[in-house]
Amino acid sequence: MDIAACRLRLTDHLDEFADEYAPTFQGAGTLTQQLEQLSKVKALLWEHGFAQWGWPERVGGSGGPAMLRAMVGEEIVARDLVVAGFFSMTETLAPTLIEFASPDVAARFVPRILSGSEMWCQGFSEPNAGSDLASLSCRAVPDEDGWVINGQKLWTSLSQFSQRCLLLARTGTPESRHRGITAFFLDMDTPGITVRPVAIMSGNAEFAEVFFDDVAVPDARRLGEVDGGWSVAMTLLPFERSTAFWHRTAFLWSRLDRIVADDPKDDRAAYLIGEAFTALHALRSRSLATLQRLDRGETLGPETSIDKVLMATAEQKVFDVARTLFPGLMETGDDADAQQWRDEFLYSRAATIYGGTGEIQRNIIARRLLDLGDER
Ligand SMILES: Cc1cc2nc3c(=O)[nH]c(=O)nc-3n(C[C@H](O)[C@H](O)[C@H](O)COP(=O)(O)OP(=O)(O)OC[C@H]3O[C@@H](n4cnc5c(N)ncnc54)[C@H](O)[C@@H]3O)c2cc1C
């Protein structure tokens, strides 16, 4: 598979159809505009056969290595056609379905995610179970028709716009921790589900609380074994740190390019831009190595915590540099460009929280990679 030749085909296509792919709004746009744009771009890529690249043929893809789909996301994100994080949600949910759903279920649902006809969300975190995910208490109890779910999720990104949710629920005793959790995927319009949007710092209601009151789920919607949900979660997280990070790196490069293009008149500019460049280069090098391991069929594990630390460091560095070199832009700027810088700066603070906090990643690196003993 010649990735460079594929890239050329894609970039030629994006140039030719630039008007069709372009957003119809200035700057960051509203959340609704961003999501409409996301669906449009995914549908166009699907229609022209690019969304299929790098996905297995048995789920509607056209095959090829994961690097191929990482490259597609890189080009789309670098052109600012979509919000990087929204585009990359496919990269965690689809591989999980491919791995754990029955072949016919995966073949039915994965194309809907790839083509943008459906949005999915990830219901893991709860009010008392974030870093300590193994303590989650949203409960699934078996009945004669399948399962009945009661409980609450929190910080469920884009759940108010999603058709389906990949959910972790307690099926063992409260003490069973990671051994008593089962994964399901359910329809968000099932009776008993209430979604209450929560705003992030920028004001966008990007995630939500989700409440489950006697929600009936057929057993066919179970992913993996009963009480085997921990391996579903552990499969999903490393995916977030391979192809999805490649996309995010492209987004960060594009922002560093903007800083350079704006030619900041500040004596510190060369030094600060150099620091951000170095952080991004370290991230991209590491991310490339991770993608190559994925394509060799290696299992990604705790070592991807290093990728997460590098990503969060680089993201915050790029936006800190922008804030220093363009004083007042983020605090008081009132045009669409300033609004976008402000939203993205604020979002960069979340990079050390979502997908596992900075402290948790460092604990994993210390304990599992450096063998420095447990947290005590
Ligand atoms: C933008 C964004 C999007 C998100 N999207 C989703 C989503 O779609 N689905 C979903 O399920 N979740 C989502 N989350 C939630 C995210 O996974 C959690 O916020 C994260 O796991 C941390 O959990 P918490 O917020 O409960 O913080 P806590 O776990 O309560 O942590 C609070 C603080 O204590 C520190 N801490 C906790 N335990 C330890 C320890 N053992 N050692 C050292 N320090 C510790 C943490 O590092 C943190 O600083 C999202 C979060 C954000 C910010």
Side-chain angles (χ1 to χ4, degrees), residues 89 122-127 129-132 154-157 200 206-207 347 350 353-360 363 375:
M89 283 173 81
Q122 182 184 317
F124 287 12
S125 305
E126 299 181 3
S131 301
D132 186 14
L154 184 58
W155 318 127
T156 320
S157 294
I200 60 172
E206 201 182 292
F207 40 34
Y347 200 88
I353 304 174
Y354 61 74
T357 69
E359 290 79 13
I360 295 299
N363 280 348
E375 282 163 54

PDB file of all heavy atoms in Angstrom, residues 89 122-127 129-132 154-157 200 206-207 347 350 353-360 363 375, ligand 1:
ATOM      1  N   MET A  89     -13.671  10.524  16.896  1.00  0.00           N
ATOM      2  CA  MET A  89     -14.465   9.617  17.744  1.00  0.00           C
ATOM      3  C   MET A  89     -14.698   8.280  17.042  1.00  0.00           C
ATOM      4  O   MET A  89     -14.778   7.232  17.679  1.00  0.00           O
ATOM      5  CB  MET A  89     -15.790  10.270  18.141  1.00  0.00           C
ATOM      6  CG  MET A  89     -15.600  11.308  19.244  1.00  0.00           C
ATOM      7  SD  MET A  89     -17.082  12.245  19.620  1.00  0.00           S
ATOM      8  CE  MET A  89     -17.956  11.100  20.705  1.00  0.00           C
ATOM      9  N   GLN A 122     -19.797   7.608  24.089  1.00  0.00           N
ATOM     10  CA  GLN A 122     -19.082   6.652  24.944  1.00  0.00           C
ATOM     11  C   GLN A 122     -19.474   6.896  26.401  1.00  0.00           C
ATOM     12  O   GLN A 122     -19.065   7.891  26.991  1.00  0.00           O
ATOM     13  CB  GLN A 122     -17.591   6.883  24.729  1.00  0.00           C
ATOM     14  CG  GLN A 122     -16.670   5.973  25.472  1.00  0.00           C
ATOM     15  CD  GLN A 122     -15.224   6.409  25.228  1.00  0.00           C
ATOM     16  OE1 GLN A 122     -14.844   6.726  24.108  1.00  0.00           O
ATOM     17  NE2 GLN A 122     -14.431   6.464  26.277  1.00  0.00           N
ATOM     18  N   GLY A 123     -20.287   6.004  26.956  1.00  0.00           N
ATOM     19  CA  GLY A 123     -20.787   6.180  28.323  1.00  0.00           C
ATOM     20  C   GLY A 123     -19.973   5.381  29.324  1.00  0.00           C
ATOM     21  O   GLY A 123     -20.375   4.282  29.718  1.00  0.00           O
ATOM     22  N   PHE A 124     -18.847   5.943  29.733  1.00  0.00           N
ATOM     23  CA  PHE A 124     -17.986   5.281  30.721  1.00  0.00           C
ATOM     24  C   PHE A 124     -18.055   6.014  32.065  1.00  0.00           C
ATOM     25  O   PHE A 124     -18.439   5.446  33.079  1.00  0.00           O
ATOM     26  CB  PHE A 124     -16.518   5.255  30.247  1.00  0.00           C
ATOM     27  CG  PHE A 124     -16.216   4.288  29.136  1.00  0.00           C
ATOM     28  CD1 PHE A 124     -17.211   3.666  28.409  1.00  0.00           C
ATOM     29  CD2 PHE A 124     -14.890   3.999  28.805  1.00  0.00           C
ATOM     30  CE1 PHE A 124     -16.915   2.780  27.377  1.00  0.00           C
ATOM     31  CE2 PHE A 124     -14.578   3.105  27.777  1.00  0.00           C
ATOM     32  CZ  PHE A 124     -15.588   2.503  27.056  1.00  0.00           C
ATOM     33  N   SER A 125     -17.654   7.313  32.089  1.00  0.00           N
ATOM     34  CA  SER A 125     -17.496   8.052  33.339  1.00  0.00           C
ATOM     35  C   SER A 125     -18.837   8.262  34.049  1.00  0.00           C
ATOM     36  O   SER A 125     -19.885   8.399  33.412  1.00  0.00           O
ATOM     37  CB  SER A 125     -16.885   9.423  33.073  1.00  0.00           C
ATOM     38  OG  SER A 125     -15.689   9.297  32.365  1.00  0.00           O
ATOM     39  N   GLU A 126     -18.735   8.318  35.380  1.00  0.00           N
ATOM     40  CA  GLU A 126     -19.905   8.584  36.227  1.00  0.00           C
ATOM     41  C   GLU A 126     -19.503   9.631  37.265  1.00  0.00           C
ATOM     42  O   GLU A 126     -18.315   9.922  37.433  1.00  0.00           O
ATOM     43  CB  GLU A 126     -20.333   7.291  36.940  1.00  0.00           C
ATOM     44  CG  GLU A 126     -20.737   6.199  35.974  1.00  0.00           C
ATOM     45  CD  GLU A 126     -21.180   4.917  36.687  1.00  0.00           C
ATOM     46  OE1 GLU A 126     -21.227   4.916  37.945  1.00  0.00           O
ATOM     47  OE2 GLU A 126     -21.472   3.951  35.985  1.00  0.00           O
ATOM     48  N   PRO A 127     -20.479  10.169  38.018  1.00  0.00           N
ATOM     49  CA  PRO A 127     -20.121  11.188  39.023  1.00  0.00           C
ATOM     50  C   PRO A 127     -19.048  10.687  39.997  1.00  0.00           C
ATOM     51  O   PRO A 127     -18.197  11.455  40.417  1.00  0.00           O
ATOM     52  CB  PRO A 127     -21.450  11.452  39.731  1.00  0.00           C
ATOM     53  CG  PRO A 127     -22.489  11.137  38.705  1.00  0.00           C
ATOM     54  CD  PRO A 127     -21.943  10.011  37.894  1.00  0.00           C
ATOM     55  N   ALA A 129     -17.044   7.895  39.359  1.00  0.00           N
ATOM     56  CA  ALA A 129     -16.153   6.940  38.688  1.00  0.00           C
ATOM     57  C   ALA A 129     -15.599   7.591  37.427  1.00  0.00           C
ATOM     58  O   ALA A 129     -16.227   7.552  36.366  1.00  0.00           O
ATOM     59  CB  ALA A 129     -16.901   5.650  38.340  1.00  0.00           C
ATOM     60  N   GLY A 130     -14.446   8.240  37.566  1.00  0.00           N
ATOM     61  CA  GLY A 130     -13.758   8.830  36.421  1.00  0.00           C
ATOM     62  C   GLY A 130     -12.420   8.139  36.287  1.00  0.00           C
ATOM     63  O   GLY A 130     -12.283   7.130  35.600  1.00  0.00           O
ATOM     64  N   SER A 131     -11.417   8.655  37.015  1.00  0.00           N
ATOM     65  CA  SER A 131     -10.111   7.984  37.031  1.00  0.00           C
ATOM     66  C   SER A 131     -10.254   6.552  37.538  1.00  0.00           C
ATOM     67  O   SER A 131      -9.645   5.624  37.012  1.00  0.00           O
ATOM     68  CB  SER A 131      -9.148   8.740  37.945  1.00  0.00           C
ATOM     69  OG  SER A 131      -8.992  10.051  37.489  1.00  0.00           O
ATOM     70  N   ASP A 132     -11.085   6.402  38.568  1.00  0.00           N
ATOM     71  CA  ASP A 132     -11.301   5.058  39.126  1.00  0.00           C
ATOM     72  C   ASP A 132     -12.513   4.431  38.441  1.00  0.00           C
ATOM     73  O   ASP A 132     -13.559   4.190  39.053  1.00  0.00           O
ATOM     74  CB  ASP A 132     -11.518   5.173  40.641  1.00  0.00           C
ATOM     75  CG  ASP A 132     -11.590   3.797  41.287  1.00  0.00           C
ATOM     76  OD1 ASP A 132     -11.206   2.806  40.624  1.00  0.00           O
ATOM     77  OD2 ASP A 132     -12.039   3.714  42.444  1.00  0.00           O
ATOM     78  N   LEU A 154     -21.799  10.528  33.163  1.00  0.00           N
ATOM     79  CA  LEU A 154     -21.480  11.964  33.194  1.00  0.00           C
ATOM     80  C   LEU A 154     -20.371  12.252  32.186  1.00  0.00           C
ATOM     81  O   LEU A 154     -19.550  11.359  31.912  1.00  0.00           O
ATOM     82  CB  LEU A 154     -21.023  12.334  34.619  1.00  0.00           C
ATOM     83  CG  LEU A 154     -20.722  13.797  34.921  1.00  0.00           C
ATOM     84  CD1 LEU A 154     -21.923  14.690  34.647  1.00  0.00           C
ATOM     85  CD2 LEU A 154     -20.307  13.949  36.396  1.00  0.00           C
ATOM     86  N   TRP A 155     -20.330  13.464  31.680  1.00  0.00           N
ATOM     87  CA  TRP A 155     -19.323  13.899  30.704  1.00  0.00           C
ATOM     88  C   TRP A 155     -19.403  13.081  29.418  1.00  0.00           C
ATOM     89  O   TRP A 155     -18.391  12.857  28.775  1.00  0.00           O
ATOM     90  CB  TRP A 155     -17.883  13.802  31.230  1.00  0.00           C
ATOM     91  CG  TRP A 155     -17.628  14.241  32.632  1.00  0.00           C
ATOM     92  CD1 TRP A 155     -17.013  13.519  33.595  1.00  0.00           C
ATOM     93  CD2 TRP A 155     -17.922  15.502  33.225  1.00  0.00           C
ATOM     94  NE1 TRP A 155     -16.931  14.239  34.746  1.00  0.00           N
ATOM     95  CE2 TRP A 155     -17.478  15.472  34.555  1.00  0.00           C
ATOM     96  CE3 TRP A 155     -18.543  16.669  32.755  1.00  0.00           C
ATOM     97  CZ2 TRP A 155     -17.625  16.539  35.421  1.00  0.00           C
ATOM     98  CZ3 TRP A 155     -18.689  17.739  33.630  1.00  0.00           C
ATOM     99  CH2 TRP A 155     -18.232  17.659  34.930  1.00  0.00           C
ATOM    100  N   THR A 156     -20.601  12.632  29.049  1.00  0.00           N
ATOM    101  CA  THR A 156     -20.726  11.783  27.857  1.00  0.00           C
ATOM    102  C   THR A 156     -20.756  12.692  26.624  1.00  0.00           C
ATOM    103  O   THR A 156     -21.783  13.306  26.323  1.00  0.00           O
ATOM    104  CB  THR A 156     -22.001  10.924  27.956  1.00  0.00           C
ATOM    105  OG1 THR A 156     -22.151  10.466  29.304  1.00  0.00           O
ATOM    106  CG2 THR A 156     -21.927   9.745  27.015  1.00  0.00           C
ATOM    107  N   SER A 157     -19.606  12.766  25.925  1.00  0.00           N
ATOM    108  CA  SER A 157     -19.468  13.726  24.817  1.00  0.00           C
ATOM    109  C   SER A 157     -20.489  13.463  23.721  1.00  0.00           C
ATOM    110  O   SER A 157     -20.660  12.325  23.281  1.00  0.00           O
ATOM    111  CB  SER A 157     -18.067  13.643  24.213  1.00  0.00           C
ATOM    112  OG  SER A 157     -17.104  14.055  25.134  1.00  0.00           O
ATOM    113  N   ILE A 200     -19.172  23.073  28.418  1.00  0.00           N
ATOM    114  CA  ILE A 200     -17.744  23.140  28.739  1.00  0.00           C
ATOM    115  C   ILE A 200     -17.361  24.613  28.921  1.00  0.00           C
ATOM    116  O   ILE A 200     -18.200  25.495  28.763  1.00  0.00           O
ATOM    117  CB  ILE A 200     -16.874  22.458  27.646  1.00  0.00           C
ATOM    118  CG1 ILE A 200     -17.069  23.114  26.286  1.00  0.00           C
ATOM    119  CG2 ILE A 200     -17.155  20.982  27.579  1.00  0.00           C
ATOM    120  CD1 ILE A 200     -16.103  22.607  25.222  1.00  0.00           C
ATOM    121  N   GLU A 206     -21.160  20.567  25.038  1.00  0.00           N
ATOM    122  CA  GLU A 206     -20.567  19.522  24.209  1.00  0.00           C
ATOM    123  C   GLU A 206     -20.752  18.132  24.808  1.00  0.00           C
ATOM    124  O   GLU A 206     -20.702  17.140  24.122  1.00  0.00           O
ATOM    125  CB  GLU A 206     -19.077  19.850  24.074  1.00  0.00           C
ATOM    126  CG  GLU A 206     -18.442  19.194  22.911  1.00  0.00           C
ATOM    127  CD  GLU A 206     -16.959  19.527  22.866  1.00  0.00           C
ATOM    128  OE1 GLU A 206     -16.622  20.698  22.612  1.00  0.00           O
ATOM    129  OE2 GLU A 206     -16.145  18.615  23.084  1.00  0.00           O
ATOM    130  N   PHE A 207     -20.910  18.075  26.115  1.00  0.00           N
ATOM    131  CA  PHE A 207     -21.196  16.765  26.709  1.00  0.00           C
ATOM    132  C   PHE A 207     -22.439  16.849  27.580  1.00  0.00           C
ATOM    133  O   PHE A 207     -23.090  17.893  27.637  1.00  0.00           O
ATOM    134  CB  PHE A 207     -20.011  16.139  27.423  1.00  0.00           C
ATOM    135  CG  PHE A 207     -19.124  17.024  28.248  1.00  0.00           C
ATOM    136  CD1 PHE A 207     -19.626  18.104  28.937  1.00  0.00           C
ATOM    137  CD2 PHE A 207     -17.768  16.731  28.368  1.00  0.00           C
ATOM    138  CE1 PHE A 207     -18.799  18.891  29.722  1.00  0.00           C
ATOM    139  CE2 PHE A 207     -16.934  17.511  29.142  1.00  0.00           C
ATOM    140  CZ  PHE A 207     -17.452  18.597  29.820  1.00  0.00           C
ATOM    141  N   TYR A 347     -10.204  24.596  25.411  1.00  0.00           N
ATOM    142  CA  TYR A 347     -10.308  23.137  25.244  1.00  0.00           C
ATOM    143  C   TYR A 347      -8.966  22.455  25.515  1.00  0.00           C
ATOM    144  O   TYR A 347      -8.920  21.329  26.027  1.00  0.00           O
ATOM    145  CB  TYR A 347     -10.808  22.781  23.837  1.00  0.00           C
ATOM    146  CG  TYR A 347     -11.373  21.381  23.800  1.00  0.00           C
ATOM    147  CD1 TYR A 347     -12.711  21.159  24.106  1.00  0.00           C
ATOM    148  CD2 TYR A 347     -10.568  20.283  23.526  1.00  0.00           C
ATOM    149  CE1 TYR A 347     -13.234  19.892  24.125  1.00  0.00           C
ATOM    150  CE2 TYR A 347     -11.087  18.999  23.537  1.00  0.00           C
ATOM    151  CZ  TYR A 347     -12.416  18.814  23.838  1.00  0.00           C
ATOM    152  OH  TYR A 347     -12.937  17.549  23.871  1.00  0.00           O
ATOM    153  N   ALA A 350      -8.386  20.797  28.751  1.00  0.00           N
ATOM    154  CA  ALA A 350      -8.996  19.477  29.002  1.00  0.00           C
ATOM    155  C   ALA A 350      -8.098  18.327  28.561  1.00  0.00           C
ATOM    156  O   ALA A 350      -8.367  17.167  28.880  1.00  0.00           O
ATOM    157  CB  ALA A 350     -10.342  19.384  28.283  1.00  0.00           C
ATOM    158  N   ILE A 353      -7.167  15.937  31.041  1.00  0.00           N
ATOM    159  CA  ILE A 353      -8.281  15.316  31.793  1.00  0.00           C
ATOM    160  C   ILE A 353      -8.894  14.151  30.998  1.00  0.00           C
ATOM    161  O   ILE A 353      -8.926  13.013  31.468  1.00  0.00           O
ATOM    162  CB  ILE A 353      -9.385  16.352  32.123  1.00  0.00           C
ATOM    163  CG1 ILE A 353      -8.803  17.546  32.887  1.00  0.00           C
ATOM    164  CG2 ILE A 353     -10.510  15.687  32.919  1.00  0.00           C
ATOM    165  CD1 ILE A 353      -9.799  18.670  33.126  1.00  0.00           C
ATOM    166  N   TYR A 354      -9.385  14.457  29.760  1.00  0.00           N
ATOM    167  CA  TYR A 354     -10.128  13.403  29.043  1.00  0.00           C
ATOM    168  C   TYR A 354      -9.201  12.244  28.647  1.00  0.00           C
ATOM    169  O   TYR A 354      -7.996  12.428  28.500  1.00  0.00           O
ATOM    170  CB  TYR A 354     -10.860  13.965  27.815  1.00  0.00           C
ATOM    171  CG  TYR A 354      -9.981  14.591  26.760  1.00  0.00           C
ATOM    172  CD1 TYR A 354      -9.205  13.826  25.909  1.00  0.00           C
ATOM    173  CD2 TYR A 354      -9.955  15.977  26.589  1.00  0.00           C
ATOM    174  CE1 TYR A 354      -8.418  14.396  24.939  1.00  0.00           C
ATOM    175  CE2 TYR A 354      -9.169  16.566  25.621  1.00  0.00           C
ATOM    176  CZ  TYR A 354      -8.402  15.761  24.799  1.00  0.00           C
ATOM    177  OH  TYR A 354      -7.608  16.337  23.846  1.00  0.00           O
ATOM    178  N   GLY A 355      -9.804  11.075  28.509  1.00  0.00           N
ATOM    179  CA  GLY A 355      -9.032   9.888  28.104  1.00  0.00           C
ATOM    180  C   GLY A 355      -8.004   9.482  29.150  1.00  0.00           C
ATOM    181  O   GLY A 355      -7.030   8.786  28.828  1.00  0.00           O
ATOM    182  N   GLY A 356      -8.203   9.883  30.393  1.00  0.00           N
ATOM    183  CA  GLY A 356      -7.245   9.561  31.469  1.00  0.00           C
ATOM    184  C   GLY A 356      -6.427  10.789  31.817  1.00  0.00           C
ATOM    185  O   GLY A 356      -5.748  11.355  30.942  1.00  0.00           O
ATOM    186  N   THR A 357      -6.475  11.228  33.070  1.00  0.00           N
ATOM    187  CA  THR A 357      -5.816  12.488  33.452  1.00  0.00           C
ATOM    188  C   THR A 357      -4.289  12.347  33.411  1.00  0.00           C
ATOM    189  O   THR A 357      -3.749  11.236  33.401  1.00  0.00           O
ATOM    190  CB  THR A 357      -6.211  12.921  34.884  1.00  0.00           C
ATOM    191  OG1 THR A 357      -5.628  11.999  35.807  1.00  0.00           O
ATOM    192  CG2 THR A 357      -7.712  12.977  35.074  1.00  0.00           C
ATOM    193  N   GLY A 358      -3.615  13.513  33.434  1.00  0.00           N
ATOM    194  CA  GLY A 358      -2.145  13.524  33.422  1.00  0.00           C
ATOM    195  C   GLY A 358      -1.570  12.735  34.588  1.00  0.00           C
ATOM    196  O   GLY A 358      -0.598  11.989  34.436  1.00  0.00           O
ATOM    197  N   GLU A 359      -2.181  12.893  35.769  1.00  0.00           N
ATOM    198  CA  GLU A 359      -1.654  12.201  36.959  1.00  0.00           C
ATOM    199  C   GLU A 359      -1.796  10.680  36.793  1.00  0.00           C
ATOM    200  O   GLU A 359      -0.874   9.921  37.127  1.00  0.00           O
ATOM    201  CB  GLU A 359      -2.403  12.652  38.231  1.00  0.00           C
ATOM    202  CG  GLU A 359      -2.108  14.076  38.665  1.00  0.00           C
ATOM    203  CD  GLU A 359      -2.875  15.124  37.853  1.00  0.00           C
ATOM    204  OE1 GLU A 359      -3.809  14.749  37.116  1.00  0.00           O
ATOM    205  OE2 GLU A 359      -2.526  16.314  37.942  1.00  0.00           O
ATOM    206  N   ILE A 360      -2.950  10.269  36.276  1.00  0.00           N
ATOM    207  CA  ILE A 360      -3.171   8.822  36.099  1.00  0.00           C
ATOM    208  C   ILE A 360      -2.179   8.258  35.075  1.00  0.00           C
ATOM    209  O   ILE A 360      -1.620   7.164  35.257  1.00  0.00           O
ATOM    210  CB  ILE A 360      -4.640   8.554  35.683  1.00  0.00           C
ATOM    211  CG1 ILE A 360      -5.589   8.964  36.818  1.00  0.00           C
ATOM    212  CG2 ILE A 360      -4.857   7.107  35.264  1.00  0.00           C
ATOM    213  CD1 ILE A 360      -5.408   8.233  38.134  1.00  0.00           C
ATOM    214  N   ASN A 363       1.073   7.850  36.752  1.00  0.00           N
ATOM    215  CA  ASN A 363       1.037   6.671  37.643  1.00  0.00           C
ATOM    216  C   ASN A 363       1.274   5.391  36.834  1.00  0.00           C
ATOM    217  O   ASN A 363       2.033   4.506  37.244  1.00  0.00           O
ATOM    218  CB  ASN A 363      -0.330   6.554  38.335  1.00  0.00           C
ATOM    219  CG  ASN A 363      -0.471   7.490  39.525  1.00  0.00           C
ATOM    220  OD1 ASN A 363       0.508   8.074  39.981  1.00  0.00           O
ATOM    221  ND2 ASN A 363      -1.691   7.641  40.018  1.00  0.00           N
ATOM    222  N   GLU A 375       1.111   3.025  44.194  1.00  0.00           N
ATOM    223  CA  GLU A 375       0.978   4.447  44.514  1.00  0.00           C
ATOM    224  C   GLU A 375       1.391   4.783  45.934  1.00  0.00           C
ATOM    225  O   GLU A 375       1.629   5.927  46.250  1.00  0.00           O
ATOM    226  CB  GLU A 375      -0.476   4.892  44.291  1.00  0.00           C
ATOM    227  CG  GLU A 375      -0.763   5.090  42.828  1.00  0.00           C
ATOM    228  CD  GLU A 375      -2.250   5.125  42.572  1.00  0.00           C
ATOM    229  OE1 GLU A 375      -2.951   5.927  43.222  1.00  0.00           O
ATOM    230  OE2 GLU A 375      -2.719   4.332  41.745  1.00  0.00           O
TER     231      GLU A 375
HETATM  232  C1  LIG B   1     -13.614  17.265  27.227  1.00  0.00           C
HETATM  233  C2  LIG B   1     -13.933  15.987  27.924  1.00  0.00           C
HETATM  234  C3  LIG B   1     -14.647  15.002  27.260  1.00  0.00           C
HETATM  235  C4  LIG B   1     -14.971  13.817  27.914  1.00  0.00           C
HETATM  236  N1  LIG B   1     -15.717  12.890  27.235  1.00  0.00           N
HETATM  237  C5  LIG B   1     -16.071  11.744  27.864  1.00  0.00           C
HETATM  238  C6  LIG B   1     -16.886  10.781  27.199  1.00  0.00           C
HETATM  239  O1  LIG B   1     -17.275  10.956  26.040  1.00  0.00           O
HETATM  240  N2  LIG B   1     -17.227   9.663  27.869  1.00  0.00           N
HETATM  241  C7  LIG B   1     -16.815   9.421  29.152  1.00  0.00           C
HETATM  242  O2  LIG B   1     -17.138   8.364  29.680  1.00  0.00           O
HETATM  243  N3  LIG B   1     -16.053  10.326  29.821  1.00  0.00           N
HETATM  244  C8  LIG B   1     -15.674  11.478  29.211  1.00  0.00           C
HETATM  245  N4  LIG B   1     -14.914  12.412  29.865  1.00  0.00           N
HETATM  246  C9  LIG B   1     -14.603  12.186  31.280  1.00  0.00           C
HETATM  247  C10 LIG B   1     -13.152  11.832  31.549  1.00  0.00           C
HETATM  248  O3  LIG B   1     -12.865  10.526  31.147  1.00  0.00           O
HETATM  249  C11 LIG B   1     -12.918  12.040  33.063  1.00  0.00           C
HETATM  250  O4  LIG B   1     -13.072  13.422  33.318  1.00  0.00           O
HETATM  251  C12 LIG B   1     -11.561  11.567  33.503  1.00  0.00           C
HETATM  252  O5  LIG B   1     -11.455  10.184  33.423  1.00  0.00           O
HETATM  253  C13 LIG B   1     -11.258  12.013  34.962  1.00  0.00           C
HETATM  254  O6  LIG B   1     -12.266  11.614  35.808  1.00  0.00           O
HETATM  255  P1  LIG B   1     -12.984  12.660  36.780  1.00  0.00           P
HETATM  256  O7  LIG B   1     -13.383  13.849  35.986  1.00  0.00           O
HETATM  257  O8  LIG B   1     -14.030  11.934  37.525  1.00  0.00           O
HETATM  258  O9  LIG B   1     -11.847  13.157  37.773  1.00  0.00           O
HETATM  259  P2  LIG B   1     -11.324  12.400  39.081  1.00  0.00           P
HETATM  260  O10 LIG B   1     -11.068  10.985  38.745  1.00  0.00           O
HETATM  261  O11 LIG B   1     -12.273  12.688  40.195  1.00  0.00           O
HETATM  262  O12 LIG B   1      -9.946  13.122  39.333  1.00  0.00           O
HETATM  263  C14 LIG B   1      -9.877  14.411  39.975  1.00  0.00           C
HETATM  264  C15 LIG B   1      -8.397  14.755  40.139  1.00  0.00           C
HETATM  265  O13 LIG B   1      -7.770  13.791  41.000  1.00  0.00           O
HETATM  266  C16 LIG B   1      -6.647  13.200  40.352  1.00  0.00           C
HETATM  267  N5  LIG B   1      -6.552  11.775  40.726  1.00  0.00           N
HETATM  268  C17 LIG B   1      -7.557  10.860  40.786  1.00  0.00           C
HETATM  269  N6  LIG B   1      -7.077   9.656  41.148  1.00  0.00           N
HETATM  270  C18 LIG B   1      -5.747   9.805  41.318  1.00  0.00           C
HETATM  271  C19 LIG B   1      -4.683   8.912  41.687  1.00  0.00           C
HETATM  272  N7  LIG B   1      -4.910   7.620  41.948  1.00  0.00           N
HETATM  273  N8  LIG B   1      -3.418   9.414  41.750  1.00  0.00           N
HETATM  274  C20 LIG B   1      -3.155  10.724  41.480  1.00  0.00           C
HETATM  275  N9  LIG B   1      -4.127  11.610  41.145  1.00  0.00           N
HETATM  276  C21 LIG B   1      -5.397  11.152  41.057  1.00  0.00           C
HETATM  277  C22 LIG B   1      -6.938  13.324  38.866  1.00  0.00           C
HETATM  278  O14 LIG B   1      -5.740  13.293  38.112  1.00  0.00           O
HETATM  279  C23 LIG B   1      -7.622  14.694  38.814  1.00  0.00           C
HETATM  280  O15 LIG B   1      -6.668  15.708  38.792  1.00  0.00           O
HETATM  281  C24 LIG B   1     -14.575  13.604  29.249  1.00  0.00           C
HETATM  282  C25 LIG B   1     -13.841  14.591  29.921  1.00  0.00           C
HETATM  283  C26 LIG B   1     -13.533  15.772  29.272  1.00  0.00           C
HETATM  284  C27 LIG B   1     -12.761  16.822  30.022  1.00  0.00           C
END
